[in-house]
């Protein structure tokens, strides 16, 4: 963890970041078990299915920016991890969209962590090789 950041918050949000979005677990359940800071961070990291699909990432990034920087760090680290070689079934258009999303994430959250922002920028640059 970078100095001056709450490692406990970052780790808890990282471990739980998909739980509201991808399971039947609710915000209230996360709140009751982990407290408000973690629940709010996890909720911010979750895409809101009530928002039009084309606007979900922008909405999520807006909500993340309202949270402590550790929540933004989780999103940066998640995309760093996910920028592996794309699945063989992805179309060139899907690969370009995924890289464009990574650029959007970087732009919105780069102030959360210089270290992670630099790593993400490098991964985005390398990912361009898959756009052929």
């Amino acid at each position: 963890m970078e100095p001056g950041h709450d490692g406990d918050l970052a780790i808890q949000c990282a471990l739980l970041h998909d739980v509201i979005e991808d399971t039947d677990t609710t915000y209230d359940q996360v709140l009751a078990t982990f407290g408000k800071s973690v629940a709010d961070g996890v909720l911010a990291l979750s895409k809101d299915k009530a928002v039009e699909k084309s606007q979900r990432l922008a909405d999520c990034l807006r909500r993340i920016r309202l949270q402590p920087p550790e929540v933004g760090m989780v999103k940066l680290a998640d995309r760093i991890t996910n920028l592996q070689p794309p699945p063989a079934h992805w179309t060139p258009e899907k690969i370009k969209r995924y890289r464009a999303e990574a650029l959007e994430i970087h732009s919105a959250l780069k102030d959360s962590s210089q270290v992670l922002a630099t790593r993400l920028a490098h991964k985005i640059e390398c990912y361009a090789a898959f756009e052929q």
Side-chain angles (χ1 to χ4, degrees), residues 39-68:
D40 287 352
V42 173
L43 185 62
L45 290 160
S46 302
K47 290 185 181 126
D48 183 348
K49 293 177 180 151
V51 173
E52 185 176 331
K53 190 172 182 174
S54 66
Q55 297 301 312
R56 287 181 189 164
L57 179 60
D59 173 67
C60 184
L61 294 173
R62 179 191 58 75
R63 290 183 287 112
I64 290 170
R65 285 193 306 265
L66 297 174
Q67 297 298 310

Side-chain angles (χ1 to χ4, degrees), residues 65-87:
R65 285 193 306 265
L66 297 174
Q67 297 298 310
E70 292 83 358
V71 178
M73 293 170 77
V74 170
K75 186 66 176 177
L76 291 169
D78 183 52
R79 189 48 63 112
I80 289 166
T81 302
N82 290 342
L83 280 176
Q84 303 300 320

